[in-house]
Amino acid sequence: CGVAEPLIITNVVVVNSTPTSVTINWTTNLPSTSQGQAKNINTGEITLNTLDTGLTTEHSVNITGLTPNTLYA
């Protein structure tokens, strides 16, 4: 009975952004699925991209439907 290796996320980079979308890339030490989210700082609304169920260590997501001139985290 061993301890599972933890998933480590590194190299998070915004590679493209428009007033209504953002593309984010990152790497993981283990193959995993990909999903990103952006939280509207003013309203608390969370915008998600569709879950990519393919297992990979090189991830890229495009989050669309963002409100222009709005701060997201």
Side-chain angles (χ1 to χ4, degrees), residues 12-42:
V12 179
V13 178
V14 173
V15 293
N16 189 37
S17 64
T18 72
T20 60
S21 69
V22 64
T23 301
I24 304 168
N25 292 355
W26 71 94
T27 59
T28 55
N29 63 319
L30 301 171
S32 61
T33 59
S34 304
Q35 187 168 40
Q37 71 177 29
K39 181 178 180 181
N40 183 315
I41 295 299
N42 296 320

